[in-house]
Amino acid sequence: MVVRRDSAVGEQGPDGGRKTAKATGEAAPSGKSKPVKKGLAGKAGAASKQASAMQAASAKKAASAKKAASAKKAASAKKAASMKKAASEKKTASAKKAASAKKAAPAKKAPAAKKVTVAPKKATARLKGTAPARTVVHPPSGESRTALVRRARRINRELAEVYPYAHPELDFANPFQLVVATVLSAQTTDLRVNQTTPALFAKYPTPEDLAAANPEEVEEILRPCGFFRAKTKSVIGLSKALAENFGGEVPGRLEDLVKLPGVGRKTAFVVLGNAFGRPGITVDTHFQRLVRRWQWTAETDPDKIEAAVGALFPKSDWTDLSHHVIWHGRRICHARKPACGACPIAPLCPAYGEGETDPEKAKKLLKYEKGGFPGQRLNPPQAYLDAGGKPAPPLGAG
């Protein structure tokens, strides 16, 4: 039996029944295939949409990664720039510090090394040639108290050998003349006082005479001493005090002497030590200069110097010690140009080398009998004359 196909109504079975395309399971004509195409298109669209979303997500992820990388790179660059800036600032600060140190270097110039000098072994001040030279061993800065006492006393012993004839360099015949002469010696030399006092004591031999003197006449006599008005007032005042309070006699106690007009501790100790035989230290300008130069003390106040030096020596040595130091300061150890090359205590002196060290040149700096010149007293002791000393000429003798 032949089956007839009808494109319009589908297949027709043997029993004359009709089968649809759905029933037969065969593909429908092209005109009827739209639903199938729509399903596939939807599926394809969904896939495309998913792919697009994935692509967008990938692009977004890539952009985020790129942005993170860019931010990381920027942070790295910023950090590198910061480190470079810090290094630059450190380098600049270092350079600035170095420049500052270099600029300040001249202000902190290292002190020049002290020149090593040599000193004669023994007293060249005797002017009979010099002993072989040797290196001076300067006392250490940390010198012990015991070492200082020993060195100070040795210096005094050496000076006693050089100046066995040391004495007060003011002419006087009694305590009254000594106290007046000592008051007049302020701000002038003992020589000038010795040349002036003979006329004063010839006219006013006692405290009572000088107390009643005409100030103008006294001023005229004292004019060569300098500061004659003030000195006239002092000597007339102390003469009145002696006449009124001490019966015209000079007291032998320190507390009484310092009450007299124009009399201080220095003048009082000169009078006590040389007129009464009572030990005392005379701290004049020479004494102050030398004891500091020898590093016996660093004090500058006369009273403190007196106490510090007095503690280094027995009391019985004080008066002669004063003479030795003052004589040495006037003859050899001068203030501006000490004659180091002719100094008998050069090996013991911490300041050796401050003055002329050549022995021959140093001899030319010596004064008074050490240099062959007259002394300061018109009437010196016989021991001084026996040692070769010459008396000073009177006022106006040239």
Side-chain angles (χ1 to χ4, degrees):
M1 181 176 183
V2 179
V3 178
R4 185 175 54 89
R5 293 184 183 271
D6 189 343
S7 60
V9 294
E11 294 181 1
Q12 206 173 31
D15 56 356
R18 193 179 293 163
K19 288 185 182 179
T20 64
K22 187 176 180 181
T24 57
E26 296 182 4
S30 59
K32 301 294 185 176
S33 61
K34 282 184 181 181
V36 176
K37 188 175 182 179
K38 185 177 179 181
L40 290 175
K43 191 174 182 181
S48 176
K49 188 174 182 182
Q50 185 178 3
S52 179
M54 288 179 66
Q55 186 177 1
S58 178
K60 187 175 182 181
K61 187 176 181 181
S64 178
K66 186 175 181 181
K67 185 176 180 181
S70 177
K72 188 175 181 181
K73 186 176 180 180
S76 179
K78 187 175 181 181
K79 186 177 180 181
S82 178
M83 290 176 67
K84 187 175 181 181
K85 184 178 179 181
S88 177
E89 289 178 352
K90 188 175 181 181
K91 187 175 180 180
T92 303
S94 179
K96 189 174 181 180
K97 187 177 180 181
S100 177
K102 187 175 181 181
K103 185 177 180 181
K108 295 183 179 180
K109 187 177 181 181
K114 189 173 182 179
K115 185 179 179 181
V116 178
T117 53
V118 293
K121 187 176 181 180
K122 197 64 178 173
T124 58
R126 298 182 185 276
L127 308 182
K128 294 182 180 180
T130 59
R134 66 179 178 83
T135 302
V136 176
V137 179
H138 296 294
S141 57
E143 184 179 36
S144 68
R145 176 73 179 179
T146 301
L148 172 60
V149 171
R150 289 176 178 172
R151 182 169 63 86
R153 294 185 181 184
R154 184 179 172 189
I155 287 176
N156 188 39
R157 291 195 299 270
E158 294 282 350
L159 295 179
E161 292 181 10
V162 179
Y163 311 107
Y165 45 77
H167 56 270
E169 293 191 89
L170 290 169
D171 284 325
F172 68 98
N174 53 57
F176 171 64
Q177 291 186 1
L178 180 57
V179 69
V180 170
T182 307
V183 170
L184 295 177
S185 67
Q187 305 297 320
T188 191
T189 63
D190 288 353
L191 172 60
R192 182 60 67 187
V193 174
N194 292 335
Q195 292 174 331
T196 305
T197 53
L200 179 69
F201 296 141
K203 192 170 183 178
Y204 310 105
T206 67
E208 291 82 3
D209 294 329
L210 190 53
N214 183 344
E216 292 182 357
E217 293 179 0
V218 177
E219 286 178 2
E220 193 60 33
I221 295 174
L222 300 183
R223 187 179 293 273
C225 288
F227 303 97
F228 57 91
R229 290 189 178 88
K231 291 180 179 180
T232 295
K233 185 177 180 181
S234 293
V235 297
I236 290 179
L238 74 86
S239 296
K240 287 181 178 179
L242 291 175
E244 295 172 2
N245 303 327
F246 300 98
E249 299 292 333
V250 177
R253 298 195 312 166
L254 176 64
E255 53 269 31
D256 293 330
L257 285 169
V258 295
K259 293 177 182 178
L260 300 174
V263 177
R265 289 181 67 88
K266 184 193 83 170
T267 300
F269 281 128
V270 170
V271 175
L272 290 173
N274 297 287
F276 295 98
R278 297 178 181 175
I281 296 177
T282 305
V283 185
D284 71 347
T285 54
H286 300 288
F287 193 94
Q288 292 183 50
R289 183 179 75 253
L290 266 63
V291 298
R292 288 199 298 269
R293 186 172 280 176
W294 295 336
Q295 294 184 12
W296 288 4
T297 180
E299 299 290 350
T300 56
D301 180 75
D303 292 348
K304 292 182 179 179
I305 291 175
E306 176 195 326
V309 175
L312 302 176
F313 297 88
K315 194 173 182 178
S316 58
D317 290 349
W318 287 357
T319 300
D320 287 339
L321 169 69
S322 301
H323 292 325
H324 297 154
V325 176
I326 293 170
W327 276 60
H328 189 61
R330 286 174 173 169
R331 285 151 178 78
I332 298 177
C333 195
H334 311 133
R336 294 186 179 180
K337 202 171 184 181
C340 293
C343 181
I345 60 165
L348 301 171
C349 181
Y352 176 79
E354 288 186 5
E356 181 58 63
T357 57
D358 181 81
E360 294 302 320
K361 293 180 180 179
K363 287 180 183 179
K364 298 178 181 179
L365 302 174
L366 301 179
K367 295 182 178 179
Y368 303 112
E369 77 282 355
K370 288 302 179 183
F373 307 111
Q376 298 199 78
R377 290 188 67 164
L378 277 66
N379 299 301
Q382 188 60 42
Y384 180 71
L385 299 174
D386 293 342
K390 300 178 182 179
L395 187 65

